[in-house]
Amino acid sequence: MKVFRKTGVSTLINILGMSVAFAAAMILMVQVRWDTTYDANFEGHGQVFRLENNWMDHGLFSTHIGRPFIEMTRDASPNIEAVCTWKPLGDDVLYKEGDRESPITIPMACVDSSFFSVFPVEWVEGSAKEFDAAQTCVLNEAFAKMIFGEESAIGKILENGSDGSRRIIGVFRNTPRNFSAHIGMLLALGDTDRENFSEWSYAAYLKLKDPSMAKETEDAIYMALGEYISSDEETRAEYRNGFRISQIHEAHFERDVRANIASANKAITVTLAAIAILLILIAIINFINFAFAEIPFRIKNINTRKVLGEGRGSLIGRQLIHAGLIASVAFAIAALIMHVIAGTSWASHVSDSIALKDNIGILILMLGIALLSAVIAGIAPALYSTAQPTALVLKGSYAMSVKGKMLRNFLVGFQFVLSFIFILMALYVHVQTKFMMSKDMGFPQENILQVWCGYSAGAAHKPLKDKLLQNPSIMDVTFSDNLIVSDQKMGWGRTGDDGEQIFMEVLPVTEDFVRFFDLQIVDGRDFRESDNESDAGVYIANETFINMFPQYHVGSLVGGHVDNTEIVGIVKDFNFKSLQHAMGPLVLLIWGKTQWRDFGVMYVKTAPESDFKEISSYIKEAVCAFDPSREPDQVSVRHLDEWIENMYQSEQSLGKLITIASFVALLIAIIGIIGLVFFETQFLRKEIAVRRVNGATVGGILKMINKKYLIMAGASFVIAAPFAYWLMTAWRKGFAYQAPIQVWIFIVALLVVAAIAVTVVTLQSWKAANANPAEALQKE
């Protein structure tokens, strides 16, 4: 009990540090598992590749291509087992039962029957045998049960907007969420756009017989496409560099690709994994630190047992059991912390569930690590303490032995190095995230609402606008075919008069769109209402389009949706994609007389002091008046700036994970340093007492002790700073727009850690420095 009274506080601190470390490490491991198993969780995933090209903007790869190109790949190489065509759709479906109509939101995609040869599907009922038949579809099990309950879905009819009715022919088992083909409803593509070279809204997935021959297969595919692209060898060589096939799991980490699916920053994933490992390592180091620091309080008890005849093996076993109990209690508390966090909003920062029942494998792994940590952390102090000669203990010089000092100094220095690395990374993650969030997008966002009005209401955009403007709090309204900021818009490929292929993203808008968003016309003119009566519509191109294709200018004709379309203006570049992606070529389009799709998105500019709830209700009622099939709660009204901010949710969540984990690691390191300084002052009591007897002041004593730790912190900073800089540089490569690594980050980190060290050392040393020297010498 006497030993416990002396070491109980340190044991509690040790358990606290280990618990926080294990809990944070387990949560980080959930996110790491999500990304490292993305598209690597189905049979044959290693054989599946994604077709990509950067013909759109000669720099940023895209998964979108014309369907005729996909058809050309089928027989390009004997190594190709199957080719799947994929086209993502909206998510509004209408289910009719008698007189009742129920709008349902289901993520959908159009695919050909080869989908089921590329991606394995387990059927709950029905099959894909009739999938090539017109107007058929299959549902996943979750949506089938949501719509039809326990009743069979086979033969039921769903309606998908202008696409018409779809007959359900099969229900398949739910797929993992971290899977590119995780979808609610698959619609039969049929022959749609099979011969249309101008529609670039399709993606292709290939299943190879031998994935080791991917490069040869890639070359064969390009040879099959090359003749169509250009007859000029130099031009073909240029386009060859912009064509590739990527293994589907590796494609999840590509940062030079624009894909309307989830992607991850590999640097972040590696960083999270590294932090998880370092958290465990710090916990083990703390364990070792405290175990060694407790030796002076346990050594007499150990030697007494040795004198009484207890063997060394038994003494070592006692200490390992003690360490195992500490590790087990820490693990149990860590699991409790994880369980509590799973029920809070903090869980949303992780892509997968952190509920204990969904992470049994990680829990078992962490329990094993905890017990292994106990062995690693306990064996060295146990061996060391049981090997000490009794004479050394009786002389009281154990604490001041050279080896003891060196070990303690090394452990403290290592703690400082890790502290610097974590705080530097945490600061830079914050800087990069703030840099992206505050970067000017090129258009105003405040007091603008983004509304998915649907195509039915969008077809009546003029009277709908008039209706909305009757509200005095609504200042202006405009419409577009897609969101102003989205990672994928319509992709069009066109052949110029010189035979060169050009590729661009297209955003159809109403004539007031440029004015509404205060976009700057740098050449030519803005849209006019009369443009709606033009035969082929008109374009306004962004600066990037003109820079990439300098043969075009104001007045040039570029292929459009029915005929050549005139460029009437050039708009200054604005960010029409999230800032993870670089700028690409974009044209804003007025449809003209031939509008083959209605507008689905509406933007509403409100008065600065307007009430969001009131305006939102007014907008929803107005939309429903022009689309009776929708209910007000099915109309989404959001602040534009919030929508754009949410586009960085993945980066924000992962950035917060890194920041939180970094500060957790720093906290654990500080706990370790507190413990070590506390015990270090116990070791220095004799030296302090001698100095006090010889006239040293309390201030001088504190200065002496602080000097040692400040020198140690400075040396640790010199070691940590270059490594942290390398980590920052590697991490920011995943972003198109990168914040500079500024000197102040390093200065702040140095000052913070130095201030913490001085504070901790001073507080822990104050009592020893003010103790009665006579009493200290008598105890020693």
Side-chain angles (χ1 to χ4, degrees), residues 490-517:
M490 282 196 298
W492 286 6
R494 298 293 186 266
T495 303
D497 293 337
D498 56 0
E500 181 182 357
Q501 287 287 313
I502 64 169
F503 307 92
M504 56 194 177
E505 290 187 78
V506 182
L507 178 61
V509 298
T510 50
E511 68 278 0
D512 47 17
F513 188 87
V514 173
R515 175 184 52 79
F516 181 95
F517 281 105

Side-chain angles (χ1 to χ4, degrees), residues 281-321:
L281 182 60
I282 273 190
I284 294 174
I285 290 173
N286 270 354
F287 207 154
I288 295 173
N289 285 346
F290 281 108
F292 270 106
E294 290 175 358
I295 288 176
F297 301 103
R298 297 182 181 275
I299 199 72
K300 290 184 179 180
N301 178 269
I302 291 171
N303 277 277
T304 300
R305 290 180 178 275
K306 287 170 68 176
V307 170
L308 295 175
E310 186 169 353
R312 188 183 181 196
S314 175
L315 293 170
I316 293 172
R318 285 177 180 275
Q319 294 191 55
L320 289 180
I321 291 172

Side-chain angles (χ1 to χ4, degrees), residues 637-648:
V637 181
R638 301 185 64 177
H639 291 283
L640 177 58
D641 52 0
E642 290 180 359
W643 165 263
I644 293 174
E645 182 176 338
N646 284 339
M647 295 190 73
Y648 310 112

Side-chain angles (χ1 to χ4, degrees), residues 313-339:
S314 175
L315 293 170
I316 293 172
R318 285 177 180 275
Q319 294 191 55
L320 289 180
I321 291 172
H322 175 75
L325 288 173
I326 291 176
S328 298
V329 172
F331 168 76
I333 296 174
L336 179 61
I337 293 172
M338 188 173 176
H339 172 70

Side-chain angles (χ1 to χ4, degrees), residues 95-111:
Y95 171 59
K96 293 184 178 181
E97 186 176 11
D99 296 331
R100 184 173 64 88
E101 295 184 350
S102 302
I104 306 162
T105 299
I106 304 178
M108 298 179 291
C110 271
V111 299

